[in-house]
Amino acid sequence: MEPAYRGLGRCACCFWLAVAFDVIGLAVLLLGVFVNIFFYDLLIYAGAIVIFLSLIWWVFWYSGNIEVPPAELEDDVGLLKKDKGGVRGISGAVRRLSSRVSSGIRSSFRRTSTRANAQRSPAQQVAVAMATMGPQENTPHVGSSAAGCDIEMPHTTTESSPT
């Protein structure tokens, strides 16, 4: 037997939290507007933020009280009726075939990526040489990579203005 929910629905806690956030946020916001204190702008912003955060509790309360009949949930959560033959039998076979194919594809990707990571050797990694240059140097540095190639690095400097 399903419990009977009156008034606020199933999520009364979310409802009361949303109301509390609204009341506290409005109180803080009005305090910042009408009380002459030096941090009134902080109170105005804080009140607006608390009222905005109450929207989270309102969404929880609303979405928690949505009622969907079980007939509409059949296809979404796998509550298919066990009919023999007909359209349900064909759709069940197609669903089983589809899940087998997709799980096979997923497992093949897992095996392929595991093999690729295991076969990668340290010699395939690329080493990059970087050098720093002072402002008086005008000749480019020549760095060497792991493959034995010489790479010419252009001269770059940064300037900063005195303050």
Side-chain angles (χ1 to χ4, degrees):
M1 182 174 161
E2 190 174 311
Y5 297 105
R6 293 178 287 157
L8 301 177
R10 284 181 282 248
C11 301
C13 182
C14 290
F15 175 82
W16 290 116
L17 277 170
V19 170
F21 271 57
D22 281 337
V23 168
I24 292 171
L26 185 65
V28 171
L29 183 114
L30 292 177
L31 189 70
V33 170
F34 291 114
V35 175
N36 190 13
I37 49 180
F38 69 94
F39 56 93
Y40 68 92
D41 53 347
L42 174 72
L43 294 176
I44 292 172
Y45 288 129
I49 290 171
V50 171
I51 291 172
F52 177 75
L53 291 176
S54 77
L55 290 174
I56 295 170
W57 297 113
W58 286 116
V59 168
F60 284 168
W61 176 75
Y62 179 78
S63 62
N65 286 313
I66 294 175
E67 293 185 15
V68 180
E72 291 183 24
L73 287 176
E74 285 179 355
D75 291 338
D76 293 339
V77 293
L79 297 174
L80 293 174
K81 294 180 182 173
K82 305 291 184 199
D83 290 343
K84 299 287 183 191
V87 177
R88 297 269 184 198
I90 293 172
S91 67
V94 169
R95 188 177 296 240
R96 282 192 302 273
L97 177 67
S98 171
S99 67
R100 284 182 187 167
V101 169
S102 63
S103 66
I105 291 172
R106 266 190 245 118
S107 65
S108 71
F109 280 132
R110 286 187 199 123
R111 277 186 258 137
T112 304
S113 66
T114 305
R115 280 190 212 131
N117 288 338
Q119 292 174 354
R120 185 173 293 149
S121 68
Q124 291 175 339
Q125 296 177 352
V126 177
V128 177
M130 298 185 71
T132 57
M133 298 175 64
Q136 58 270 27
E137 297 180 50
N138 288 330
T139 60
H141 286 279
V142 176
S144 62
S145 67
C149 300
D150 289 337
I151 301 170
E152 199 170 293
M153 296 173 57
H155 174 65
T156 57
T157 60
T158 56
E159 295 181 13
S160 58
S161 60
T163 56

